[in-house]
Amino acid sequence: MKILLKKMLNKIENMQISQKMILGYLLTIVLPFLLFAYVIYYQIYDKLANQYVLANQQNIEQLAGNLDDRLGKVESLYSIYQNNSVLIDYLQGEYKNDRDMIYAYLKEIRSAISFSYLADPLVEEVTIYPKMQNELLTVPGFKNYNEIAHFLNSEELRTLTPTNGAWKLFNASQESFLVYYHKLYSNSFSKEIGIIEIKISTDIISELLQAIKTIHPKSDLFLLQQKNNSVIYLSRDIEKKQIEAIQKDMIRNRSDYFSFNKGKLFINSTSLQRIGMTVVEVNRKNTIFSINRKQYLWLAGGIVMLILLTILYYLIVTFMTKRIVFLSRHMKKDGLNYYTGNFGKDEIGYLISNYNSMITRINDLVNSVKKEERLKKEANFKMLQAQIHPHFLYNTLETMRMLAKADHNKTLENMAYSLGHMLRYSLSNRNDTTIQEELEHVRLYIAIHQIRMHELNLDLQTDETVMSIQCPRFILQPLVENCIKHGLTKKRGLKKISLFISVTSGNTIIEVEDNGIGMTDERLAFVQSVLQGNSETEYIEGQEVGIGLVNINERIKAYYNSNSNLSIARSLSGGIRCTLKLCQKESQHV
C-alpha cells in the first residue's frame, strides 16, 4: 500500500501544473459536489418515500374504514329481525293455526324482509333458518334449519353469540358472495330460535380494490385470508415466493407499511376485521418516482452548468499557466535577455518581474567580471612590459648597492635596496598578498621619495590583529602615490602622509590622508560619484588619479564582496583622505 501510494505521489509530482490544478479541481470541487448531490438526493428520496408510504397508508385505511362502515350497516339489519316481536313469536311457535301464521307473515314478517332490500342496496338475499318451527318453509325468506350445516360447520356456529355475528366468503362457479350470519334469540335471549343469513355481493370488495387502483394504477394488489394466510385475490402475477416473503416481513416488522427488497418495493396493508381479510398493496419504486420531462431538463441543465464551470476553470488554469510556459520557453531560448511578454499583477507577474531583476543583477555581475578581467589583462600586459630581463635589473641594482656600500654611500645603498625589493614585489606572479606585505611595500616606496623630499613624513598607526589579512596587491601604494604626486609635490613646507589601520564592526578600515593642496570641489564630487557607481567610468579614462581609484574600488569589491568599497573625502588639514573598507571573513586570515 505504501509503495502504491508513493508511486501515485511521484506521478502527481511529475505532472504539469495545469494537470495538477485540474486534478485538484476534480478532487476538491467536482467529486465533493457529486457526493453531496448524491447524499442530498437520497435524503430527499428517503423523505419522499416515507411521506408517500405514510400518505398511501392513510388512504388505504380510509378506504378500508369506508368498507367497514358499509359492512356495519349491513350488520345493523340484524336488529330489525331480533326486535320484530311477530317474527320472534313465530320462531318460538306462538302461532297455533295457519290463519294467524299467514296473517303475521304477510303483515309483519314479509315487510321486514323487504325493508332490508330497500335499506341497503348491497343486500341481495335475506334468509331465516327457524330452529323450532317447520311451518312457512316454502315461502320466500325461510329455509330448513338443517340446511345451515352446508354453510357453517360446528366450530363456526359456536362463534355466533347474541352480540357477535360472522361473515363468510363463498366462491361459486360464476360469482362470489359475502354472507353475514347471526343467531336469533327469544325475547329473554335465553334460547336460540334460529339463524338469519344476509347475503351481499362481493362488489363491495371490488369497489375497494378499484378505488386503490385508481390512485395507483400500476400497483399490485392481493387479498389474504387472515385465518390461514391464503391468497384469495391477486391483481397481477406475483411470484408465490415473493408473497410469502412479504407475509414474513409483515409479521417481523409488525407494521402495516414498510419497504421491501432493498427499497425497490413499498408495501401498504390494512386489515378488514369484519370479514377476516387483509388488503396488501405493492408499489414499485420506479413507477412512483419516475423522472418526468421537467426533471430531465433540470438534470440536463445541472450537467451542462457543471461542464461550463469546468471549461471556465480550465480556461483560467490555462491563462495562469500559459505565462509560466512562455517564461520557461523564453529562459530556454533567449538565455539572459529580458522577458517582455505579459506580466500581470498577480504572483506570476511578481515572479516574472523578479526574473527580470535577476537578469539585471546577472548582467551587472557579468559586466563586472568582464571589466575585472579586462583590468587584469591590462595590468598583466603592463607587468609583462616591465618584466624585461628582470634578473638583469636585480643584478644591476645589487651591483649598484654593493658599489655604494664599498664607497660608504649609505643613501645610495638604501635606495638601491628599496628599489630592488619594490621591483621583486611588483613583478611577482602572486594575485594577492597580506596587509603587512602591502605596508612594507608602501614603506619602501616612501623611503625612496624621502631621499628626494626630506620634509616628507609618514605617520603610521596600525592594528596588529589585521596584519595577516589577505588583500589584493597594490591597493595602498597607488593611494600613497596620488598623495605625493597630486597633493604634496607642489606644497611647500612640511609634507605629511598619515596611514591608519583599524577594525570597526568586524571590518578592516584603512585611511590614507595627506596635508597637500587637495582638489577642487567639482573634481572631488565627480570622483565620489564615480566611486559610488552614479557616473560612467568612461568619462575619467586617461585621467590617472580617477582611473587608479576606480581600479582599486572594483578590485576590492571583486576580491571581498560588494559591501567593500573605496571612498574619498577632504581631510581636516585641507588635503585628501581615501578610506578603504574591507569586509573580510575569518578564513582570509593567514
Side-chain angles (χ1 to χ4, degrees):
M1 186 65 182
K2 290 183 178 179
I3 297 175
L4 181 61
L5 182 61
K6 189 174 181 180
K7 288 182 178 179
M8 290 178 62
L9 292 176
N10 289 336
K11 191 172 182 180
I12 293 174
E13 230 177 82
N14 296 327
M15 292 171 64
Q16 296 180 0
I17 294 178
S18 58
Q19 294 175 340
K20 290 180 182 177
M21 296 182 71
I22 292 173
L23 180 62
Y25 171 75
L26 294 175
L27 293 179
T28 59
I29 304 297
V30 177
L31 185 60
F33 173 79
L34 294 177
L35 290 176
F36 177 76
Y38 178 82
V39 172
I40 293 298
Y41 168 78
Y42 272 96
Q43 285 181 346
I44 295 175
Y45 165 77
D46 289 340
K47 185 177 180 180
L48 291 176
N50 291 332
Q51 290 178 351
Y52 166 79
V53 173
L54 183 59
N56 194 44
Q57 183 65 28
Q58 293 174 349
N59 292 333
I60 292 178
E61 290 178 354
Q62 183 178 359
L63 293 173
N66 295 336
L67 174 65
D68 188 80
D69 292 340
R70 297 182 69 181
L71 293 175
K73 185 179 178 182
V74 173
E75 291 181 3
S76 67
L77 296 175
Y78 158 75
S79 62
I80 297 175
Y81 300 98
Q82 180 64 51
N83 296 324
N84 190 315
S85 59
V86 176
L87 176 62
I88 297 303
D89 289 342
Y90 162 72
L91 293 176
Q92 291 183 123
E94 297 293 335
Y95 297 103
K96 301 301 182 181
N97 57 68
D98 293 340
R99 186 172 60 87
D100 294 337
M101 188 181 301
I102 293 172
Y103 178 77
Y105 172 76
L106 293 175
K107 185 179 180 179
E108 299 290 341
I109 299 174
R110 186 174 67 175
S111 60
I113 294 174
S114 299
F115 176 78
S116 298
Y117 297 114
L118 295 174
D120 197 331
L122 290 174
V123 178
E124 295 188 352
E125 185 178 352
V126 177
T127 304
I128 300 173
Y129 295 90
K131 188 176 183 180
M132 301 172 61
Q133 181 63 264
N134 293 325
E135 302 296 333
L136 297 180
L137 296 181
T138 57
V139 300
F142 288 89
K143 288 185 180 180
N144 193 306
Y145 184 82
N146 294 328
E147 293 184 17
I148 199 68
H150 298 298
F151 308 111
L152 297 175
N153 55 38
S154 57
E155 183 180 351
E156 292 172 335
L157 284 172
R158 281 194 297 270
T159 62
L160 302 178
T161 65
T163 56
N164 293 319
W167 286 91
K168 192 170 183 180
L169 177 66
F170 292 94
N171 291 315
S173 58
Q174 295 182 349
E175 56 182 341
S176 300
F177 295 96
L178 268 175
V179 182
Y180 178 69
Y181 294 95
H182 207 292
K183 288 182 178 181
L184 295 170
Y185 293 88
S186 62
N187 290 327
S188 62
F189 286 92
S190 60
K191 182 169 53 174
E192 177 190 344
I193 58 177
I195 294 177
I196 186 171
E197 176 190 80
I198 303 174
K199 183 188 295 183
I200 66 173
S201 174
T202 54
D203 289 345
I204 189 173
I205 299 177
S206 299
E207 290 174 2
L208 170 66
L209 299 177
Q210 185 59 40
I212 297 174
K213 292 290 289 183
T214 301
I215 300 174
H216 301 118
K218 296 183 180 181
S219 64
D220 293 329
L221 294 171
F222 60 90
L223 286 174
L224 292 176
Q225 190 77 38
Q226 293 178 355
K227 186 176 181 180
N228 52 16
N229 283 331
S230 61
V231 179
I232 58 177
Y233 172 80
L234 187 63
S235 64
R236 292 189 182 181
D237 294 332
I238 303 178
E239 295 182 0
K240 184 178 179 180
K241 291 182 179 180
Q242 194 173 42
I243 294 176
E244 292 175 354
I246 292 174
Q247 288 177 314
K248 290 180 180 179
D249 273 16
M250 289 173 64
I251 297 171
R252 183 171 58 251
N253 293 325
R254 296 181 180 180
S255 176
D256 294 331
Y257 55 93
F258 55 90
S259 60
F260 179 73
N261 193 15
K262 298 180 180 179
K264 294 180 180 179
L265 300 176
F266 299 116
I267 310 299
N268 291 94
S269 64
T270 186
S271 176
L272 307 175
Q273 291 293 342
R274 292 183 184 274
I275 58 178
M277 299 180 188
T278 300
V279 181
V280 181
E281 181 185 20
V282 181
N283 284 290
R284 290 175 173 80
K285 181 184 73 172
N286 54 2
T287 60
I288 298 172
F289 298 102
S290 58
I291 301 177
N292 55 33
R293 178 181 177 84
K294 186 176 180 180
Q295 290 172 324
Y296 271 120
L297 290 176
W298 276 105
L299 181 62
I303 294 174
V304 170
M305 181 63 69
L306 185 61
I307 293 174
L308 290 177
L309 290 175
T310 304
I311 293 174
L312 178 62
Y313 181 81
Y314 175 77
L315 293 176
I316 293 173
V317 169
T318 303
F319 174 75
M320 292 174 61
T321 58
K322 181 170 64 176
R323 287 179 291 164
I324 298 177
V325 173
F326 286 165
L327 177 62
S328 62
R329 289 177 181 173
H330 169 81
M331 293 169 64
K332 183 178 180 181
K333 181 179 179 181
D334 297 333
L336 298 178
N337 293 329
Y338 291 102
Y339 180 78
T340 57
N342 182 25
F343 278 40
K345 296 183 179 180
D346 55 2
E347 288 80 359
I348 299 176
Y350 181 72
L351 173 66
I352 296 174
S353 177
N354 284 341
Y355 166 78
N356 285 342
S357 299
M358 181 187 69
I359 293 299
T360 300
R361 290 194 297 271
I362 291 175
N363 288 335
D364 290 342
L365 290 174
V366 170
N367 293 333
S368 176
V369 171
K370 288 182 178 179
K371 186 178 291 185
E372 183 182 355
E373 290 293 330
R374 179 173 59 82
L375 293 174
K376 186 177 179 181
K377 288 180 180 178
E378 290 177 358
N380 289 336
F381 178 72
K382 291 179 180 179
M383 188 181 296
L384 183 62
Q385 288 179 325
Q387 288 178 340
I388 302 173
H389 305 295
H391 293 290
F392 172 75
L393 293 176
Y394 298 152
N395 293 334
T396 301
L397 288 173
E398 185 62 23
T399 301
M400 290 172 61
R401 190 180 73 83
M402 295 302 295
L403 290 173
K405 186 177 182 180
D407 291 339
H408 303 287
N409 190 340
K410 193 66 175 176
T411 301
L412 183 58
E413 178 186 356
N414 291 337
M415 181 181 289
Y417 173 79
S418 298
L419 183 58
H421 276 275
M422 286 183 63
L423 284 175
R424 286 187 177 89
Y425 183 81
S426 300
L427 300 177
S428 173
N429 292 325
R430 292 168 55 191
N431 293 325
D432 52 14
T433 183
T434 63
I435 292 179
Q436 185 173 2
E437 292 179 347
E438 187 73 3
L439 281 176
E440 184 62 30
H441 178 68
V442 169
R443 286 195 189 97
L444 295 175
Y445 179 79
I446 292 177
I448 293 175
H449 279 282
Q450 284 176 335
I451 296 173
R452 177 174 63 87
M453 304 170 66
H454 300 286
E455 64 278 11
L456 177 62
N457 293 322
L458 173 63
D459 182 12
L460 181 62
Q461 299 179 21
T462 64
D463 187 339
E464 295 299 327
T465 61
V466 299
M467 291 296 102
S468 60
I469 291 177
Q470 290 181 310
C471 64
R473 295 195 307 146
F474 299 109
I475 61 172
L476 297 181
Q477 185 266 332
L479 300 180
V480 174
E481 182 180 354
N482 280 340
C483 291
I484 296 172
K485 185 175 181 180
H486 301 285
L488 300 175
T489 300
K490 297 180 181 181
K491 178 179 174 60
R492 293 183 179 183
L494 179 64
K495 300 177 178 64
K496 181 180 178 181
I497 295 176
S498 300
L499 200 155
F500 307 107
I501 301 178
S502 61
V503 177
T504 303
S505 300
N507 300 321
T508 300
I509 306 299
I510 303 176
E511 295 178 325
V512 180
E513 181 179 330
D514 66 72
N515 63 343
I517 62 174
M519 62 176 68
T520 63
D521 292 338
E522 293 78 7
R523 177 65 178 170
L524 178 61
F526 176 71
V527 175
Q528 288 175 338
S529 176
V530 172
L531 293 177
Q532 292 172 2
N534 298 326
S535 299
E536 297 294 333
T537 58
E538 284 77 3
Y539 293 112
I540 61 171
E541 292 290 344
Q543 302 180 37
E544 190 174 351
V545 60
I547 194 63
L549 297 178
V550 171
N551 183 289
I552 294 173
N553 188 43
E554 290 181 352
R555 285 197 297 124
I556 62 173
K557 285 180 178 291
Y559 189 85
Y560 295 105
N561 54 46
S562 59
N563 293 326
S564 300
N565 58 66
L566 169 63
S567 60
I568 185 171
R570 196 179 301 280
S571 67
L572 296 176
S573 59
I576 295 298
R577 182 179 68 251
C578 295
T579 304
L580 285 171
K581 177 183 176 183
L582 309 179
C583 300
Q584 80 283 355
K585 299 179 180 179
E586 293 183 1
S587 59
Q588 291 173 317
H589 289 268
V590 295

